[in-house]
Amino acid sequence: MLRFLAELPVLIIAWLSDALEIALRFLGRIFRFGDQEESEQSTGFSGRIRRAIGQCFWFLARLITYPFAGFFFRGRRFWMFLGSIPFFVAWLGIFGLLLAVVLNHERILNRYLSRAQNAYTKQLGALGARYALRWIDEQDYANADRKFLYSLVEIQAGQNDAGERVLEQLSPEDSAGLGIAHFWRAGKCAAELAAESIDGPARQEALKRFRWHLSHASGVRPAQIAVLEAMDAYWDGKPEQAQSKYREVWQADPLQSVGYASLLKRLGNQQESVQVLQEGAQRVASVLRTDPWNRTIRYQLASILEAKEDWGKAEQIFMEGYQIHRDAEASVAYRNFLDRRTSAGLKDANAFREQAYCLVRLLRTQGATPSTLDVASRTFLRSDLEVAGLQRELNQWLVEGLDLPIVHLCLAVCKVIVNEVDSGVWHVEQATRYDSSIQNLVVPICDHLILRAAENRPLQKRLDDWKLALEEKSQKQIVP
Amino acid sequence: MDWKIGLIFLGLGVLLHLPTAQWALHWDSFSWIGIELLLWGLAPIALVCAGARNFNPSARGESHRATISSIYPCLLIAFASLLWGIYSGTAGWSLRGISIAVSCFLVLLLNSTNQRLYQMVALGMLAPVSTWTFAHQIHWVGQKLATALAGSVLDLGKVYHFYKGNVIGLVSTDFLENQQCSGVRLFGTSLLLVLTLGFLSGYSWFRMVYLTIVALFWIVVWNAMRIAYCVWIQDGQSTLIQHNFVLYDVVCLLGILFFTWSADQFYSALTYKEKDSDRESEKQDAALAGSTLGNVSTRPTSNASLLGIVLSGVAIAGIVGLGGWQLYRWFGLTNGGSRTLSSEQVDQILDGLEFKTSLKDGWVISRTQGAAEGFAPIFRPLARWPHEQWELTNERLKGSTMKLRVDGLWTDAIAPQWLWQWYGWKTGASTLPESTGPNQDAVAFGMSRSIVEEGYVITKRLYLPDPSDSRSRYVQVSLVQESVRPIADPQQSLQRDMFPALYDEIQGGFNASHSTGQAGIEAP
């Protein structure tokens, strides 16, 4: 046995050489026909087959050896060979190009993917979406994670609908999908349920969808899922379980203060809700002190303060943020805050001090924009009693030194509304004495109020008179 | 004697059709394909001028001299082409018919063979390629390949781009290369030249097929290189760069022809046998030694020949008759008979539309400048392709938007979906046309692209008022809704309800313009 094993390599070589010889003999018999004249005389089916195979073989042999054999051609054939070189070279170049692209297909798409990621991190959503256009339709390449990136860049580019459509596709209601997309869908369902605008079967259906997506949610911090689970328990009629679960989350993460306070409020526990906001604000404020450049923490703290209706401190937080960052994002955040504060102020008809403050700040920061003019008409065009209350608070702001030119302008409008046009003119004069640019606000406000007070002819007339008086005054100043 | 009579009448028929040919060649629709048309005219002449070597039947081993009785299939094809061209108002078929009739005339005049005539007829039928109704499908496939190859080149050059169907867009600029990606350039011209070269050289059919495939390959490659170059130059530039496209045409044509010739050399070298040349010369010598036309049949000897003479006579009579009728019609029209609109006048009429009566319920319309997904396809027989677009918005309906677009003037009717398919939209099944009602003959279909683009289109052809030639020219009026979500049934029905009024107003604009006599003389 051992002897056989020792001879085995020699035997294998011998077998291989025998097989090679047999194959060559066989092939030689076949291919001889393709290149020999006498083969043309071979008849019968097998003869024709052999001839065809032989011709194919020799044609392939000529084709393969052509680039080398061509240099040994003579006469006219050599010139033909030279003429065919451009074709051969170009064809090989094209073939090589395609081969290189096919072999590097994934690497090329990876380039676009990394560019899209890079654009997303630099907040260039529109550019990221363009890079993503290259691979988003590639079935094999655009997996769920990459489609999720696409949804993010679309949302960042302002195409919220497109981004949401992708997220909906990634969180189907009949299969697994992507965990983070399911989390997003669960959050969306939770917002619908929290709005409490749906009832009956529609609510049951929404609840069912919410639970489906929640059961498939993943890819986020456990605390984020726990919050939704707490809400699930609440909607399932288990308030203790919901509260304990949310408390656990809140204790670990003070950024959940607003949500937890909202739950407590729903459960009728108003006092604890206020305490949660108070404690949450303190904890988040201490975090912010260690990292004042962290926008997320700053906005979270502001939102807790907004929930507490501590608008003054919230504004202070935003103003600090603007002083630190001094960029468009901080400016937009402050404007959005001011809009929210104004909306809240206008909800309470008697919150004159708050309404006066918001109007003054809006006029100062945004000028005579359509939204500001809308707030102005909603603030001024009210009953005389309410305007008197507003006037009182504006006077108080005047004493406290809040933006004197704008406060004078607002007082001027109030005076015109309560039929004191001369006093209105005087207040405008005072305002322009402090800040001549106030002139640019007077006409738009006046025109807008005239337009809105369509059913109050006397007021329209007073506003017209006021406008005329101001124009006369300004002309007199120009032509002494 | 019969051939002389046939020749005279055929010559008369050709002469009578010259005004039609002149109209077709001078029509603005063909002005941009000058090279192709020139070669279309040159190809049969080149065949004839190839001289005795190629037209000597015995030298090529060909027999069967062409006679009046033997060329009746070609004459019937010529007659049918002319008839269809006049009936449908398509200049392409008229040109094909005339070209075949001219081929028959030349072959008879020069005592050539049937085989040579069939080759000329094949060339005549092929050209001009752009007038075939399936031209857009050929261009669609060719453009797809060229765009993919151009994209590969750009990938190697690290030029970041994306595809919208057959059109390449650049990441760096808001720019779609829809000028170079509007069809395979020089397709007809190159193919015609290569085939003419093949016929002149007397190649076998197998070799002709090989040359055709090779030519198609190089057409795609050179178009791809051209696209890649234009995109590469445009990359990072905020304004559209102007190119010398005539120079590009010339370079590409020379490139295609050179590499096809080189491929032909490759074939020759690969299949070259030393004995071939000896055999060929022996064959030629033998042929020249004998009577040149000794073995060629010249006389009709059977009933089949009689039938041939009758059919040829019918065809020639038809050609002459059609020519006379066309001539009569041509003079009638120049005396102020029928008028139709030019593409510039279509622009003016569309500019004047305000859609005040057709828009209600809070819809507001505004003109859109430079629609991104519009281009001049090179396979439509038009010098330019007006593309007008308006945007309709409605604040009351949660900011709903629609696009009204008018594409045309067109001549040959093809499926309305092709335009959207060119830009990568996957179109669904048509849900109309309705046999009655305001949306009669309109076509509607849903479509989708990418993973978030959905659309719904309702479209209908609007034939221009021209009583003499009502089938020839039309514009495509479409109302389009695009969204990131599928267009639901209520939105679709809203679109279908709005469409007839808009269509009627556009039609009214054309009718009013026609009745006030603004239209100019365009075609017989």
Side-chain angles (χ1 to χ4, degrees):
Chain A
M1 185 66 187
L2 285 171
R3 194 173 169 183
F4 173 74
L5 287 174
E7 290 175 356
L8 190 59
V10 180
L11 284 171
I12 289 171
I13 292 167
W15 291 337
L16 284 174
S17 70
D18 286 351
L20 192 65
E21 188 183 341
I22 291 165
L24 285 172
R25 278 170 189 276
F26 178 72
L27 289 171
R29 271 209 301 276
I30 291 176
F31 297 135
R32 194 179 62 222
F33 287 100
D35 201 37
Q36 289 182 0
E37 285 224 352
E38 56 267 28
S39 69
E40 289 174 11
Q41 294 161 6
S42 61
T43 54
F45 181 72
S46 62
R48 284 202 297 274
I49 293 287
R50 281 183 184 182
R51 194 166 65 240
I53 294 172
Q55 281 173 346
C56 285
F57 174 80
W58 288 112
F59 177 77
L60 281 173
R62 276 203 296 275
L63 189 67
I64 293 163
T65 58
Y66 180 81
F68 317 103
F71 290 101
F72 301 98
F73 291 162
R74 289 290 173 269
R76 198 175 152 208
R77 199 181 184 192
F78 179 70
W79 292 108
M80 286 175 184
F81 170 73
L82 285 183
S84 69
I85 287 174
F87 162 72
F88 223 78
V89 171
W91 187 85
L92 281 175
I94 300 290
F95 182 74
L97 166 78
L98 291 175
L99 197 68
V101 169
V102 168
L103 293 178
N104 290 293
H105 184 61
E106 192 161 350
R107 190 180 291 178
I108 290 165
L109 294 183
N110 280 341
R111 259 193 251 154
Y112 284 82
L113 177 68
S114 63
R115 291 258 170 169
Q117 286 167 334
N118 199 18
Y120 178 68
T121 53
K122 287 179 179 171
Q123 308 265 325
L124 301 169
L127 187 65
R130 281 187 180 217
Y131 281 116
L133 276 177
R134 179 65 196 277
W135 47 258
I136 195 65
D137 285 333
E138 297 270 346
Q139 295 287 335
D140 298 333
Y141 188 79
N143 58 23
D145 288 331
R146 287 166 185 164
K147 283 181 182 170
F148 180 66
L149 172 69
Y150 179 66
S151 72
L152 293 179
V153 292
E154 284 285 13
I155 290 169
Q156 200 178 59
Q159 304 293 325
N160 291 348
D161 284 345
E164 287 181 9
R165 171 92 199 279
V166 178
L167 287 172
E168 282 169 16
Q169 287 176 357
L170 291 172
S171 54
E173 290 176 1
D174 55 358
S175 57
L178 186 70
I180 197 162
H182 277 294
F183 173 75
W184 173 81
R185 277 290 280 280
K188 203 176 171 192
C189 293
E192 279 175 34
L193 290 162
E196 291 179 352
S197 57
I198 48 172
D199 276 318
R203 187 172 182 80
Q204 286 303 316
E205 187 61 33
L207 204 54
K208 194 177 158 191
R209 272 191 287 122
F210 167 70
R211 283 179 183 144
W212 163 264
H213 292 300
L214 184 58
S215 66
H216 288 81
S218 62
V220 290
R221 284 183 292 122
Q224 289 174 288
I225 293 175
V227 166
L228 293 180
E229 284 171 348
M231 294 309 294
D232 185 27
Y234 168 70
W235 285 316
D236 203 22
K238 298 170 187 169
E240 293 85 9
Q241 193 185 338
Q243 191 174 338
S244 67
K245 205 154 198 163
Y246 220 134
R247 172 167 277 280
E248 274 179 35
V249 175
W250 175 69
Q251 282 172 341
D253 183 8
L255 299 180
Q256 302 295 336
S257 302
V258 176
Y260 183 44
S262 169
L263 180 69
L264 289 169
K265 210 171 175 180
R266 282 162 194 264
L267 294 171
N269 203 343
Q270 186 72 31
Q271 195 180 353
E272 198 177 343
S273 169
V274 174
Q275 281 175 357
V276 164
L277 287 174
Q278 185 73 34
E279 193 182 328
Q282 285 170 2
R283 287 165 65 192
V284 176
S286 64
V287 176
L288 185 64
R289 275 195 293 276
T290 60
D291 184 9
W293 285 272
N294 191 327
R295 289 183 202 259
T296 311
I297 299 290
R298 181 172 295 283
Y299 298 155
Q300 286 290 336
L301 174 59
S303 71
I304 295 170
L305 293 169
E306 283 179 36
K308 273 178 70 187
E309 296 187 354
D310 195 347
W311 297 103
K313 277 190 183 171
E315 183 170 14
Q316 201 181 336
I317 295 294
F318 277 111
M319 294 303 287
E320 277 175 13
Y322 184 73
Q323 282 165 3
I324 289 171
H325 299 291
R326 289 199 175 276
D327 59 4
E329 192 186 338
S331 169
V332 169
Y334 176 70
R335 284 184 182 190
N336 291 340
F337 158 77
L338 208 55
D339 289 340
R340 289 195 296 274
R341 185 174 180 176
T342 309
S343 302
L346 288 170
K347 272 180 194 165
D348 183 1
N350 295 321
F352 300 122
R353 183 176 169 80
E354 187 66 12
Q355 288 164 9
Y357 178 82
C358 289
L359 183 60
V360 169
R361 296 302 300 149
L362 276 175
L363 282 168
R364 174 54 69 191
T365 54
Q366 297 180 23
T369 59
S371 62
T372 310
L373 293 174
D374 184 56
V375 170
S377 61
R378 286 170 68 188
T379 310
F380 290 127
L381 299 179
R382 295 151 79 180
S383 67
D384 285 352
L385 194 66
E386 286 172 319
V387 174
L390 187 69
Q391 198 179 325
R392 191 174 58 245
E393 292 302 332
L394 281 166
N395 279 319
Q396 184 59 36
W397 279 121
L398 205 60
V399 172
E400 291 178 27
L402 172 74
D403 202 339
L404 296 181
I406 302 285
V407 173
H408 270 298
L409 175 66
C410 292
L411 273 170
V413 178
C414 288
K415 292 287 183 190
V416 174
I417 289 168
V418 296
N419 204 6
E420 293 175 25
V421 177
D422 292 341
S423 183
V425 174
W426 181 84
H427 273 293
V428 172
E429 281 176 356
Q430 297 306 310
T432 47
R433 186 183 292 173
Y434 289 111
D435 181 358
S436 59
S437 67
I438 293 299
Q439 290 280 11
N440 301 331
L441 294 174
V442 176
V443 176
I445 290 173
C446 190
D447 288 344
H448 184 75
L449 291 177
I450 290 169
L451 194 72
R452 286 294 174 93
E455 291 170 5
N456 192 345
R457 294 297 302 165
L459 177 59
Q460 277 189 329
K461 188 176 179 308
R462 287 201 294 278
L463 287 165
D464 271 332
D465 292 345
W466 179 52
K467 198 175 158 187
L468 278 171
L470 288 173
E471 280 174 7
E472 281 172 16
K473 283 265 180 193
S474 64
Q475 279 176 358
K476 277 180 188 171
Q477 282 173 355
I478 294 166
V479 187
Chain B
M1 189 62 196
D2 61 336
W3 74 271
K4 282 183 184 171
I5 298 166
L7 201 63
I8 290 164
F9 275 97
L10 193 56
L12 179 67
V14 169
L15 278 174
L16 289 171
H17 278 285
L18 281 182
T20 310
Q22 181 260 343
W23 153 68
L25 292 168
H26 282 88
W27 194 22
D28 65 344
S29 314
F30 288 104
S31 58
W32 62 272
I33 48 169
I35 298 175
E36 188 177 338
L37 273 179
L38 190 69
L39 290 170
W40 168 81
L42 282 179
I45 295 165
L47 279 172
V48 174
C49 296
R53 189 176 71 86
N54 282 312
F55 267 77
N56 184 339
S58 58
R60 308 294 311 166
E62 297 167 6
S63 59
H64 301 295
R65 172 185 293 285
T67 61
I68 284 288
S69 60
S70 69
I71 63 166
Y72 72 90
C74 299
L75 284 169
L76 285 174
I77 291 170
F79 174 54
S81 299
L82 285 167
L83 194 63
W84 177 248
I86 291 164
Y87 171 71
S88 64
T90 45
W93 278 106
S94 297
L95 285 170
R96 281 181 207 116
I98 295 165
S99 102
I100 295 166
V102 170
S103 300
C104 292
F105 180 77
L106 290 172
V107 164
L108 283 178
L109 191 71
L110 297 167
N111 284 332
S112 191
T113 61
N114 284 336
Q115 190 173 343
R116 193 58 59 194
L117 175 63
Y118 294 141
Q119 290 176 352
M120 291 166 74
V121 170
L123 278 176
M125 290 294 281
L126 181 75
V129 179
S130 58
T131 56
W132 282 95
T133 48
F134 57 79
H136 83 281
Q137 283 154 335
I138 295 171
H139 281 271
W140 197 88
V141 174
Q143 186 62 62
K144 189 128 194 99
L145 294 170
T147 302
L149 186 57
S152 302
V153 175
L154 294 170
D155 276 332
L156 286 190
K158 292 191 178 177
V159 175
Y160 291 95
H161 63 279
F162 57 85
Y163 303 103
K164 274 198 171 185
N166 283 350
V167 180
I168 286 185
L170 272 168
V171 172
S172 62
T173 58
D174 189 14
F175 171 73
L176 277 176
E177 181 47 88
N178 50 13
Q179 194 166 10
Q180 297 305 304
C181 295
S182 57
V184 184
R185 277 151 207 280
L186 302 164
F187 172 72
T189 312
S190 308
L191 211 57
L192 204 60
L193 270 173
V194 168
L195 290 175
T196 307
L197 172 78
F199 283 132
L200 285 174
S201 306
Y203 286 165
S204 65
W205 287 106
F206 179 77
R207 192 162 179 175
M208 290 295 289
V209 171
Y210 163 77
L211 267 189
T212 307
I213 292 168
V214 167
L216 289 173
F217 174 76
W218 289 117
I219 289 167
V220 169
V221 168
W222 277 93
N223 271 277
M225 297 306 155
R226 181 180 171 133
I227 296 165
Y229 177 74
C230 289
V231 174
W232 176 63
I233 291 288
Q234 187 67 48
D235 189 29
Q237 307 294 323
S238 55
T239 52
L240 190 64
I241 289 176
Q242 300 298 317
H243 298 272
N244 186 350
F245 291 124
V246 177
L247 178 68
Y248 294 178
D249 276 345
V250 171
V251 170
C252 287
L253 185 64
L254 290 176
I256 292 164
L257 293 179
F258 174 71
F259 281 102
T260 308
W261 170 82
S262 183
D264 190 43
Q265 294 296 301
F266 169 70
Y267 185 96
S268 300
L270 200 66
T271 57
Y272 187 84
K273 285 180 182 171
E274 296 296 337
K275 290 167 188 169
D276 278 1
S277 54
D278 300 340
R279 279 181 189 171
E280 199 174 316
S281 58
E282 280 170 17
K283 200 188 272 183
Q284 281 186 357
D285 292 344
L288 289 170
S291 169
T292 311
L293 301 171
N295 59 346
V296 176
S297 169
T298 55
R299 284 178 297 176
T301 55
S302 66
N303 289 335
S305 303
L306 190 65
L307 180 68
I309 289 174
V310 172
L311 288 174
S312 293
V314 169
I316 290 170
I319 291 168
V320 172
L322 284 175
W325 187 64
Q326 276 288 82
L327 205 63
Y328 164 75
R329 209 159 148 245
W330 173 253
F331 280 115
L333 291 172
T334 49
N335 290 331
S338 176
R339 287 168 180 276
T340 189
L341 298 163
S342 68
S343 47
E344 287 78 14
Q345 285 165 331
V346 170
D347 271 355
Q348 284 173 8
I349 293 164
L350 293 174
D351 281 340
L353 293 175
E354 292 179 350
F355 299 103
K356 278 182 181 167
T357 54
S358 51
L359 287 174
K360 291 165 189 167
D361 303 328
W363 284 98
V364 177
I365 194 162
S366 59
R367 192 70 177 265
T368 311
Q369 295 296 327
E373 292 187 8
F375 64 162
I378 65 159
F379 45 91
R380 307 306 305 156
L382 287 168
R384 48 190 290 277
W385 177 18
H387 167 88
E388 307 291 340
Q389 188 169 304
W390 295 262
E391 187 158 332
L392 291 94
T393 50
N394 193 328
E395 288 303 321
R396 283 190 214 165
L397 298 172
K398 296 176 186 172
S400 292
T401 57
M402 291 188 200
K403 281 192 287 190
L404 173 70
R405 54 188 292 168
V406 179
D407 297 295
L409 259 15
W410 290 350
T411 50
D412 302 317
I414 52 175
Q417 288 96 333
W418 77 268
L419 170 67
W420 286 275
Q421 286 167 351
W422 192 274
Y423 275 96
W425 289 96
K426 290 180 183 69
T427 53
S430 302
T431 53
L432 294 171
E434 294 167 4
S435 54
T436 55
N439 282 324
Q440 191 181 351
D441 298 330
V443 176
F445 52 89
M447 55 188 191
S448 63
R449 183 172 64 181
S450 182
I451 57 170
V452 289
E453 287 181 275
E454 303 281 348
Y456 186 75
V457 178
I458 177 164
T459 183
K460 188 176 175 180
R461 285 178 195 140
L462 198 163
Y463 288 99
L464 298 193
D466 181 1
S468 68
D469 203 10
S470 60
R471 295 181 54 151
S472 63
R473 291 180 150 205
Y474 69 92
V475 291
Q476 189 88 35
V477 181
S478 315
L479 191 60
V480 188
Q481 231 180 137
E482 287 176 20
S483 173
V484 295
R485 292 174 194 285
I487 311 294
D489 284 342
Q491 292 168 289
Q492 290 182 13
S493 65
L494 175 72
Q495 198 173 336
R496 283 200 292 266
D497 291 344
M498 284 177 67
F499 183 70
L502 293 164
Y503 182 89
D504 288 346
E505 189 155 346
I506 295 170
Q507 192 172 33
F510 282 117
N511 288 339
S513 171
H514 188 258
S515 59
T516 52
Q518 285 179 20
I521 297 166
E522 279 283 322

